[in-house]
Amino acid sequence: MVPTKASKRYSSTQRAAYLFLLPWAIGFLCLSLGPILWSLYLSFTDFDLLTAPDWVGPANYVRMFTADPKFMISVRITFVYVLFSVPLKLAFALAVAMLLNRGIRGLPLYRALFYLPSLLGASVAIAVLWRQLFAGNGLVNHFLAQFGIEGPSWISNPNYSLWTLIILAVWQFGSPMIVFLAGLRQIPADVYEAARVDGAGRWRQFARITVPLLTPVIFFNAIIQTIDAFKTFTPAFIISNGSGNPVNSLLFYTLYLYQEAFGYFRMGYASALAWVLLIIIALFTAFAFLTSRYWVHYDE
């Protein structure tokens, strides 16, 4: 069968498409899939970066769940952080988005200013600033002293140290706020007008109109912010000087993983920790998707 001009043209287009996809394919295989599979292999080995990996089977996972108290401490600290920081951040972001949705002047400026903490919040500089704010002689205690209140050393007290990082997480509300604002702009104004004609107050409009129509956006923000919260590292590392103290109250899971990998050079064990974190995030995400059918309302 003799190739036609159309088939030749299609074949050349196909080759061009594969050629353009080649850099992505090389990057995916070499920089993503390869390291992922290698870390999975390392999680079953004893590897210290200096000698060849020594196969130990599931020993790293057995040790993690049976003989490593720090593992459970890091899991507990991270879960508490996620449980409080994500809902508080989303609630604050939604409140600010509703204020900005009222059509105030200079909306682009306010939107940019409120989004700025999300860009800077995960940086080392902001973590250092936060440590200075909540130190024993920091600005927060100086402010409280004006009202005769003697504040504690927030970051040195295990009862308060984790809450300083939760406040930092809530302060980074800009990213979900932008998404909420876009979702609010999609709700038709005539729906609220009809509700007002029927005598519905602001709280009822919020509960019966705003929240149900925003559930897809809430669901999206909850998934993204939960994954980000599980991966939090920089603030805990900087504020605790990489130790997780005081009394392991800032020993986040990622910080403990870092200590095992680069503090004690237990790369095999750190790889096992990384895979357990991946499974935890996957389970949370799967649970969210499975339960979304009961509370997320789409157009149809």
Side-chain angles (χ1 to χ4, degrees):
M1 180 177 174
V2 180
T4 62
K5 289 184 178 180
S7 63
K8 289 182 179 179
R9 200 161 45 243
Y10 176 77
S11 179
S12 62
T13 303
Q14 203 174 30
R15 285 196 298 270
Y18 286 131
L19 186 62
F20 279 110
L21 285 172
L22 187 60
W24 175 87
I26 294 174
F28 174 73
L29 292 173
C30 298
L31 301 179
S32 296
L33 184 60
I36 289 173
L37 296 177
W38 180 245
S39 71
L40 179 60
Y41 165 73
L42 289 180
S43 70
F44 295 97
T45 66
D46 182 12
F47 181 47
D48 60 3
L49 281 179
L50 302 177
T51 58
D54 181 25
W55 181 266
V56 295
N60 287 328
Y61 295 95
V62 173
R63 175 198 164 195
M64 191 185 308
F65 290 103
T66 61
D68 187 0
K70 277 194 170 183
F71 166 74
M72 294 309 301
I73 292 173
S74 66
V75 170
R76 179 178 59 81
I77 294 297
T78 304
F79 271 52
V80 171
Y81 175 80
V82 173
L83 181 64
F84 285 97
S85 67
V86 173
L88 289 175
K89 181 194 287 190
L90 295 184
F92 193 67
L94 179 58
V96 175
M98 293 184 67
L99 289 176
L100 295 180
N101 192 45
R102 293 186 175 183
I104 63 176
R105 290 184 178 181
L107 177 60
L109 175 61
Y110 286 109
R111 192 165 50 197
L113 289 176
F114 288 143
Y115 184 69
L116 194 60
S118 291
L119 297 177
L120 303 177
S123 66
V124 173
I126 293 299
V128 173
L129 175 63
W130 215 255
R131 185 173 62 186
Q132 297 301 321
L133 285 174
F134 287 93
N137 58 348
L139 186 60
V140 172
N141 281 347
H142 280 299
F143 175 76
L144 294 176
Q146 304 301 316
F147 302 94
I149 302 174
E150 184 178 355
S153 180
W154 303 93
I155 61 174
S156 301
N157 191 321
N159 296 323
Y160 305 109
S161 56
L162 182 60
W163 287 98
T164 63
L165 294 193
I166 292 174
I167 294 172
L168 176 58
V170 176
W171 180 68
Q172 302 171 44
F173 67 92
S175 179
M177 181 269 295
I178 293 294
V179 180
F180 277 134
L181 185 58
L184 289 170
R185 291 297 178 90
Q186 301 301 315
I187 300 178
D190 55 357
V191 177
Y192 291 105
E193 292 176 3
R196 282 192 291 270
V197 170
D198 290 339
R202 289 186 177 180
W203 171 249
R204 179 162 293 185
Q205 292 177 39
F206 174 76
R208 298 296 180 88
I209 298 175
T210 305
V211 172
L213 293 180
L214 271 186
T215 48
V217 179
I218 295 172
F219 177 65
F220 171 80
N221 271 335
I223 292 291
I224 297 300
Q225 298 305 319
T226 299
I227 294 174
D228 284 345
F230 272 114
K231 298 188 301 180
T232 300
F233 170 76
T234 303
F237 179 82
I238 297 299
I239 291 178
S240 69
N241 291 318
S243 65
N245 289 322
V247 199
N248 291 327
S249 61
L250 296 180
L251 188 64
F252 281 32
Y253 194 98
T254 50
L255 177 56
Y256 180 52
L257 191 156
Y258 174 87
Q259 291 177 349
E260 288 292 320
F262 300 103
Y264 305 111
F265 293 102
R266 292 194 279 256
M267 285 293 176
Y269 190 65
S271 297
L273 288 170
W275 275 93
V276 169
L277 178 60
L278 174 64
I279 293 172
I280 291 173
I281 294 175
L283 290 176
F284 264 79
T285 306
F287 176 77
F289 273 96
L290 289 175
T291 57
S292 65
R293 69 182 69 179
Y294 302 108
W295 64 275
V296 179
H297 310 288
Y298 296 98
D299 290 340
E300 61 271 12

